[in-house]
Amino acid sequence: MATRRIISGEKTILEKDDKDFAQPEGGKSNIAPAVPAHVIYKLLGFTLAMVVGPIGSYFLTLNLLFRGNSTYAGAFAAIMANVVLIGYVVVAFQEDQTDQMEAKEKEKREGKKVI
């Protein structure tokens, strides 16, 4: 079995991996959060709505609207859960589109400055 010898001028695998943790060229590291705060707030809001909305609608409509019929109240609670879920998907799509539009506008502005 042949082994490979490390020549003194050659870097080892561990030394090559150190470049991943090196400081950027500016000298400052990026300490921005991976997920923006407004995204976390939206997620927490929809999580709260997913818990409170269907359960609250079940108990509110059980006696007030459906006169004790738990089947109808449960179906209404399931519909409310779907409404919250669809609302979250719509908000997520709109946010994704605004991010893409901002990136395009930034790209256009940078292109005009170069010319």
Side-chain angles (χ1 to χ4, degrees):
M1 177 180 215
T3 59
R4 185 168 184 258
R5 294 185 184 140
I6 297 175
I7 302 171
S8 62
E10 188 176 330
K11 291 185 176 182
T12 64
I13 291 177
L14 295 175
E15 291 171 338
K16 290 179 183 177
D17 285 344
D18 285 342
K19 70 180 178 180
D20 293 337
F21 299 107
Q23 290 285 335
E25 292 178 12
K28 294 183 180 179
S29 63
N30 184 7
I31 57 171
V35 179
H38 70 279
V39 173
I40 300 294
Y41 294 142
K42 284 180 189 176
L43 180 63
L44 288 175
F46 277 102
T47 301
L48 183 67
M50 187 59 110
V51 172
V52 173
I55 293 173
S57 67
Y58 173 79
F59 287 111
L60 283 175
T61 59
L62 181 61
N63 291 322
L64 294 176
L65 187 64
F66 298 120
R67 297 187 188 118
N69 190 343
S70 63
T71 303
Y72 291 148
F76 186 73
I79 291 170
M80 290 305 296
N82 285 313
V83 167
V84 172
L85 182 64
I86 291 169
Y88 179 73
V89 170
V90 168
V91 168
F93 272 118
Q94 287 178 348
E95 182 177 331
D96 188 41
Q97 289 175 354
T98 57
D99 289 344
Q100 290 175 357
M101 290 172 55
E102 288 174 1
K104 287 180 182 178
E105 288 177 11
K106 183 179 177 183
E107 194 174 280
K108 287 180 183 178
R109 280 186 257 136
E110 289 177 359
K112 289 181 181 178
K113 289 180 183 177
V114 173
I115 298 175

